[in-house]
Amino acid sequence: MNNSADDRSFLSEKLSFPTKLAYGAGDLGPAITANITGVFLLIFFTNVAGLKPGIAGSILMIGKIWDAINDPIIGMWSDRTQSRWGRRHPWMIFGAIPFGIFFFLQWLVPQFSGNPEINQWALFLYYVAIGLFFNSFYTAVNLPYTAMTAELTQDYDERTSLSSYRFAFSISGSILSLILALLIFQAFKQNPIQQYLVLGGVCAVISVLPLYWCVWGTRKRVQALERQRRALPVETPLPYLEQLKIAFSNRPFLYVIGIYLCSWLAVQNTVAVIPYFVKNWMGLGDSDFTQVIIAVQVTALVMLFVWSAMSKRYGKKAVYFMGMTVWTIAQIGLFLLQPGQIILMYGLAVLAGFGVSTAYLIPWSMIPDVIELDELQTGQRREGVFYGFMVLLQKVALAIGLFIVGWVLQKSGFTESVAGQPAPIQPESALWAIRILVGPAPLVVLVIGLVLAYFYPITKEKHAEILLQLHERKQNQT
């Protein structure tokens, strides 16, 4: 039997448990860094580095916008990468260490001037520069990794299973990062600057290593895919604007983008506001808001496998509706929550975890189906392009959302604090703004996401038809 036949036989097999495990591990590092950044960076800027909320929100917005801009660029570059290691692995191999270094540098608080105003703007420039580098290397390792989902298997249910492994590691990474934060904050509770410095260093190290596990564990399948891809006729890459036109003329892709944007805008903005909500509205401490987020993430992790099993029986769309319905109840409850209702607060966090789990699982398991529809229509596979544009729009929306959170807090009269000084008492206007940002604001986008999911057109049966037509075409080419 020749190598080509061997590769086809190997690739037709179900993914092994070690391969799924290794693939899932690739999202551990990005999840840890994204979670620590999403939960703590805004409050680190305002409460430790002493930046004004508007300036802090602007730093996050600039970083996210750059992160969005570089996504489709790196996506296309990874599509065109020629290597015996495949198209995606070289990015992960060479990007992992700089990714960890620049994540750590975000948590320094350099003193540039004794003049508070000059130091404020010098810190602004420092954090913007570090953020640009960190987001570049984050994309360099994470976007090629996510594009591998559509390449490792073409099976409809197998992709949902693969996504469940990925997000099991992703949510576990989020939980691990929060547990580390609790332990480190307790160990260095007298020195907030040192708290974040140690947290950044520890998370940087444990974020880099799993990326190499992923490369090692998926290398055989990726190399077989690369040999098979090179045996097919060479495709002429389309110009960037032409790819943009084709991607956004794919109607199911637009629905998936919308669903994902709404889900993750709700997730990320709620995560950014929860520390302020728990500390300033509920009157609790740092460990309490970390425990609230752990409750959400643990529930999401448990439900990930429940939703994955239910998706095989009821379909992706139905599962998304179930999860989002429970989540909307939780958002309403958070807005109505009063100081002292601690048990209810944790109950609502558990309910929110039901919905957060579907936000992780369902949109990402839809994207590979969209890619196959595009391949059927155009004759080209452009995983990097579709994942790049999806993440681009997500990050633009998140950038705007974080910017709005920062400026709403500042305009509402929120008073930033400085490490080592007593926490200021916030005015009623700031407390009201925090409650709006944690409840009604995410609720609106969740409802929009439900409407878009209702109209999503690729069912399990439709996807089977697409795969059949692609199989017939490839047989004719061979």
Side-chain angles (χ1 to χ4, degrees):
M1 186 178 291
N2 59 38
N3 288 338
S4 178
D6 287 340
D7 287 339
R8 283 198 300 272
S9 176
F10 175 56
L11 294 172
S12 66
E13 297 173 2
K14 293 283 188 180
L15 292 169
S16 66
F17 174 71
T19 301
K20 289 182 178 180
L21 205 61
Y23 174 76
D27 212 33
L28 186 66
I32 288 171
T33 58
N35 193 61
I36 291 293
T37 301
V39 174
F40 295 107
L41 196 55
L42 184 60
I43 202 165
F44 166 77
F45 284 157
T46 59
N47 288 22
V48 179
L51 295 175
K52 296 177 181 178
I55 292 176
S58 299
I59 294 169
L60 296 175
M61 182 186 71
I62 293 168
K64 285 296 181 184
I65 288 177
W66 168 243
D67 201 12
I69 291 170
N70 66 44
D71 279 321
I73 297 171
I74 290 177
M76 285 189 296
W77 285 351
S78 73
D79 279 346
R80 299 174 185 179
T81 298
Q82 299 291 328
S83 164
R84 63 187 176 88
W85 300 324
R87 296 185 289 175
R88 318 299 176 187
H89 280 175
W91 292 87
M92 300 169 68
I93 292 169
F94 295 109
I97 291 175
F99 158 69
I101 290 171
F102 283 102
F103 172 75
F104 170 71
L105 293 177
Q106 291 183 117
W107 307 99
L108 299 177
V109 187
Q111 184 71 26
F112 294 103
S113 172
N115 185 315
E117 194 65 24
I118 295 175
N119 196 61
Q120 182 98 176
W121 288 106
L123 284 172
F124 169 80
L125 294 175
Y126 170 79
Y127 289 125
V128 165
I130 295 300
L132 294 178
F133 279 108
F134 168 68
N135 285 305
S136 297
F137 285 107
Y138 180 95
T139 302
V141 297
N142 190 242
L143 196 143
Y145 164 77
T146 59
M148 286 168 57
T149 311
E151 297 180 337
L152 291 176
T153 179
Q154 289 188 327
D155 184 90
Y156 184 86
D157 291 325
E158 190 82 341
R159 280 175 175 167
T160 304
S161 173
L162 194 62
S163 293
S164 69
Y165 277 84
R166 173 191 170 186
F167 292 116
F169 273 94
S170 180
I171 297 173
S172 296
S174 298
I175 295 168
L176 173 62
S177 67
L178 294 172
I179 293 173
L180 287 171
L182 280 175
L183 296 174
I184 291 169
F185 287 176
Q186 183 64 30
F188 299 94
K189 57 185 176 182
Q190 301 302 323
N191 191 333
I193 292 178
Q194 195 170 10
Q195 285 178 338
Y196 285 99
L197 195 62
V198 173
L199 179 63
V202 171
C203 289
V205 172
I206 62 176
S207 294
V208 169
L209 298 178
L211 289 165
Y212 292 108
W213 176 14
C214 176
V215 171
W216 178 258
T218 59
R219 73 192 189 286
K220 291 182 179 179
R221 197 168 184 98
V222 166
Q223 288 168 3
L225 283 162
E226 183 64 13
R227 288 191 295 267
Q228 189 179 72
R229 186 177 70 85
R230 291 188 179 190
L232 295 173
V234 177
E235 300 170 347
T236 303
L238 293 174
Y240 178 83
L241 292 178
E242 185 66 22
Q243 293 191 27
L244 184 67
K245 179 181 177 182
I246 290 173
F248 286 94
S249 64
N250 187 314
R251 192 165 61 91
F253 179 59
L254 299 180
Y255 282 113
V256 175
I257 284 175
I259 293 166
Y260 187 58
L261 286 179
C262 292
S263 301
W264 276 96
L265 193 57
V267 170
Q268 297 295 338
N269 281 20
T270 303
V271 164
V273 177
I274 277 290
Y276 298 98
F277 179 80
V278 173
K279 292 182 70 172
N280 299 113
W281 174 247
M282 299 298 293
L284 303 173
D286 288 341
S287 61
D288 295 285
F289 80 71
T290 307
Q291 289 167 10
V292 168
I293 299 172
I294 288 175
V296 174
Q297 298 286 11
V298 168
T299 306
L301 176 61
V302 173
M303 289 304 301
L304 198 62
F305 296 98
V306 176
W307 291 133
S308 181
M310 293 180 68
S311 175
K312 293 180 181 180
R313 181 170 182 179
Y314 300 108
K316 298 172 184 177
K317 186 187 296 188
V319 164
Y320 186 80
F321 267 86
M322 295 176 200
M324 290 300 115
T325 300
V326 177
W327 194 2
T328 56
I329 295 171
Q331 294 298 139
I332 295 170
L334 282 173
F335 175 69
L336 299 175
L337 196 66
Q338 297 298 311
Q341 297 178 321
I342 310 300
I343 295 175
L344 181 57
M345 178 182 70
Y346 282 101
L348 292 171
V350 169
L351 283 182
F354 280 72
V356 169
S357 188
T358 57
Y360 277 102
L361 181 65
I362 299 304
W364 283 111
S365 65
M366 289 175 169
I367 274 288
D369 307 337
V370 170
I371 290 169
E372 256 116 32
L373 176 61
D374 173 70
E375 183 184 5
L376 182 64
Q377 294 170 341
T378 67
Q380 291 192 355
R381 285 190 71 85
R382 293 188 296 271
E383 292 91 347
V385 172
F386 278 92
Y387 280 99
F389 284 132
M390 182 176 177
V391 178
L392 180 153
L393 293 178
Q394 173 220 356
K395 289 174 180 175
V396 168
L398 292 181
I400 295 170
L402 290 169
F403 175 77
I404 290 172
V405 168
W407 280 101
V408 166
L409 288 176
Q410 184 159 318
K411 295 298 182 183
S412 68
F414 181 89
T415 306
E416 67 275 8
S417 60
V418 179
Q421 297 182 5
I425 297 174
Q426 302 297 339
E428 285 296 322
S429 57
L431 296 177
W432 179 252
I434 290 168
R435 293 179 65 202
I436 293 292
L437 288 169
V438 86
L443 181 62
V444 171
V445 292
L446 289 178
V447 172
I448 295 172
L450 283 171
V451 173
L452 293 172
Y454 178 80
F455 291 103
Y456 177 68
I458 300 181
T459 61
K460 188 172 184 177
E461 294 72 24
K462 176 66 176 175
H463 181 253
E465 293 176 13
I466 293 169
L467 283 186
L468 180 61
Q469 294 176 62
L470 285 173
H471 179 69
E472 291 173 350
R473 177 192 291 173
K474 289 177 180 177
Q475 280 189 323
N476 292 335
Q477 287 177 340
T478 303

